[in-house]
Amino acid sequence: QKEVEQNSGPLSVPEGAIASLNCTYSDRVSQSFFWYRQYSGKSPELIMSIYSNGDKEDGRFTAQLNKASQYVSLLIRDSQPSDSATYLCAVISDNFNKFYFGSGTKLNVKP
Amino acid sequence: DAGVIQSPRHEVTEMGQEVTLRCKPISGHDYLFWYRQTMMRGLELLIYFNNNVPIDDSGMPEDRFSAKMPNASFSTLKIQPSEPRDSAVYFCASSFRGGEPQHFGDGTRLSIL
């Protein structure tokens, strides 16, 4: 079992819809959770950080964390074609000595 | 503020040659990470440093790979001898503390012929 699991996609949504990206992790004591966006040929770019259970909103992005169920999700409201990219989930263990990235979910937003 | 700076951006070399990739982390960041990304294997952590000290190199694929961080503002990843299967994009990232998000450089696209 991988430490961080993501559906590779592609996930296709129409422009203006909500895109929902999910990530599960195996280390129960993980403490820090991040979502990165990576455009083709570019480096990963941080878009959201979340550290406690619940929702965290930033503009059109909402990160959701449920430590009991060991999943973290990213919602993108009013999806735009410019959101088309691969989204990577990252998890850090509680003693900050293990760093895991998921394999990413490719999102296509169709005009 | 300057981000993580990597050089070169592209490297094409022949099998058997030594390859050196360079990284300058964000000033004040205590952690430095080296990753390799391929289509098949995704983003793999090779090694990371805390305060210039290598902490975990379990991701280094074999003895042909080595990494150093002689000071807080510079790190190198060396492959000697290089092989075609080493072709990938190599990213360097840094973070302020262990639990903080990592910030990535633009990467080095390495092609071994």
Side-chain angles (χ1 to χ4, degrees):
Chain A
Q1 181 187 6
K2 292 183 179 180
E3 290 81 7
V4 178
E5 301 255 19
Q6 293 183 256
N7 187 320
S8 62
L11 173 66
S12 292
V13 300
E15 183 176 355
I18 296 175
S20 178
L21 305 165
N22 299 310
C23 169
T24 59
Y25 59 94
S26 60
D27 188 344
R28 183 169 292 277
V29 296
S30 297
Q31 281 293 99
S32 305
F33 307 86
F34 309 99
W35 283 100
Y36 288 81
R37 177 177 61 201
Q38 186 175 25
Y39 293 113
S40 181
K42 301 295 186 181
S43 60
E45 172 193 13
L46 178 72
I47 55 172
M48 289 289 286
S49 305
I50 188 165
Y51 300 94
S52 55
N53 280 328
D55 295 359
K56 180 181 178 182
E57 186 175 317
D58 184 0
R60 295 186 297 111
F61 299 97
T62 298
Q64 300 174 317
L65 175 61
N66 184 323
K67 290 187 178 181
S69 299
Q70 295 176 234
Y71 83 79
V72 56
S73 61
L74 179 70
L75 301 178
I76 307 175
R77 291 182 299 281
D78 188 24
S79 296
Q80 301 297 308
S82 59
D83 295 326
S84 298
T86 296
Y87 289 80
L88 301 168
C89 173
V91 175
I92 301 178
S93 64
D94 71 332
N95 52 0
F96 309 140
N97 68 351
K98 292 296 182 185
F99 306 87
Y100 307 111
F101 273 83
S103 56
T105 297
K106 185 174 177 59
L107 174 66
N108 290 330
V109 181
K110 299 185 175 182
Chain B
D1 288 342
V4 176
I5 300 173
Q6 292 187 245
S7 64
R9 290 295 308 278
H10 302 275
E11 177 87 12
V12 181
T13 191
E14 293 187 347
M15 181 175 64
Q17 298 297 307
E18 178 178 291
V19 173
T20 300
L21 310 181
R22 297 172 176 79
C23 175
K24 176 179 170 58
I26 294 172
S27 179
H29 280 196
D30 290 341
Y31 282 76
L32 183 139
F33 306 83
W34 281 103
Y35 289 91
R36 177 173 69 177
Q37 188 174 43
T38 61
M39 289 293 292
M40 289 296 294
R41 301 175 68 89
L43 194 64
E44 301 175 276
L45 177 61
L46 301 178
I47 185 172
Y48 77 91
F49 296 82
N50 180 20
N51 291 321
N52 312 338
V53 177
I55 303 300
D56 185 352
D57 66 353
S58 60
M60 297 285 261
E62 45 197 280
D63 292 345
R64 298 184 297 107
F65 286 69
S66 62
K68 294 182 179 180
M69 192 166 185
N71 57 62
S73 59
F74 184 66
S75 177
T76 60
L77 178 68
K78 188 172 293 188
I79 308 173
Q80 167 64 21
S82 57
E83 297 183 4
R85 59 193 169 119
D86 302 330
S87 298
V89 180
Y90 290 80
F91 289 108
C92 177
S94 69
S95 68
F96 179 53
R97 286 190 294 263
E100 298 290 318
Q102 298 171 28
H103 299 270
F104 284 76
D106 289 336
T108 295
R109 186 170 297 273
L110 177 63
S111 297
I112 308 297
L113 306 178

